[in-house]
Amino acid sequence: MNDDFGYVDDRVPGIRWDAKYATWDNFTGKPVDGYLANRVVGTRSLCAALEQAREKAASLGFGLLLWDGYRPQRAVDCFLRWSEQPEDGRTKLRHYPNIDRSEMVEHGYVAAKSGHSRGSAVDLTLYHLATGELAPMGGDHDLMDPISHHRAPGITPIEARNREHLRSIMEDCGFDRYDREWWHYSLRNEPHPDVYFDFPII
């Protein structure tokens, strides 16, 4: 692992995580190349900003649950190969019900070069500290659909308010949102803006 990187759970005590791409619970339907352990990795700068975000979320009664951070380039390449394979329907209903998998790149849900591979992007959501229950957001991680866009119509007032809580927390702590995915945020002043890393998560 690059010296500037580390496990987020080591550097941000109290944060929860479920590294989806290390599991079978993701849009490819199986663990993804480069994810050999269910851990989330990020740069020192990312972890420092996440610590601020964790504290701000806690002041509102929320905790942070991370689904992804640093993503090896080999995982991105795996996504692209998967998007070109014949449809088998296993994850379509849950993750991309209204487009073909071949359209994921065109619609901006999969990219040949991902900010995640620079080590300063995260996929995350909120949960209620009092109960541990996930805050309703109007769609799950990697739902590739307009309903996942920020300020999408068709979600409930509570879901819209929770998305706004997450946006406010993250933007106040140095992150920028990605308009097509309510869960995706990138560090505004990332330390490696032009480097795409490929070391595995082990």
Side-chain angles (χ1 to χ4, degrees), residues 6 10 13 15 18 42 58 60 62 97 102 104 106 128 134 139 156-157 194:
D10 284 342
I15 207 159
D18 179 14
L60 300 172
F62 293 109
S102 61
M104 291 177 180
E106 173 188 343
H128 295 286
L134 294 184
T156 69
D194 302 310

Side-chain angles (χ1 to χ4, degrees), residues 16 57-58 60-65 125-137 158-159 161-163 165:
R16 283 173 55 184
L60 300 172
F62 293 109
L64 302 180
L65 170 67
T125 191
L126 300 174
Y127 69 90
H128 295 286
L129 287 173
T131 65
E133 295 293 321
L134 294 184
M137 291 289 190
I158 291 175
E159 292 163 347
R161 187 162 63 249
N162 287 335
R163 288 190 187 188
H165 281 313

Side-chain angles (χ1 to χ4, degrees), residues 138-174:
D140 205 354
H141 177 246
D142 273 352
L143 173 58
M144 304 178 200
D145 190 84
I147 199 73
S148 295
H149 298 186
H150 281 275
R151 296 188 174 87
I155 62 175
T156 69
I158 291 175
E159 292 163 347
R161 187 162 63 249
N162 287 335
R163 288 190 187 188
E164 183 62 18
H165 281 313
L166 181 61
R167 184 202 62 77
S168 176
I169 290 165
M170 298 301 285
E171 290 185 348
D172 285 353
C173 294

Side-chain angles (χ1 to χ4, degrees), residues 40-83:
V40 176
V41 169
T43 61
R44 293 179 186 275
S45 297
L46 178 83
C47 292
L50 282 174
E51 174 60 24
Q52 294 179 25
R54 187 196 64 77
E55 292 175 358
K56 187 172 181 64
S59 73
L60 300 172
F62 293 109
L64 302 180
L65 170 67
L66 272 58
W67 286 315
D68 196 28
Y70 160 71
R71 180 180 303 164
Q73 180 61 43
R74 70 191 71 183
V76 177
D77 297 341
C78 179
F79 292 166
L80 294 173
R81 289 194 303 273
W82 180 89
S83 73

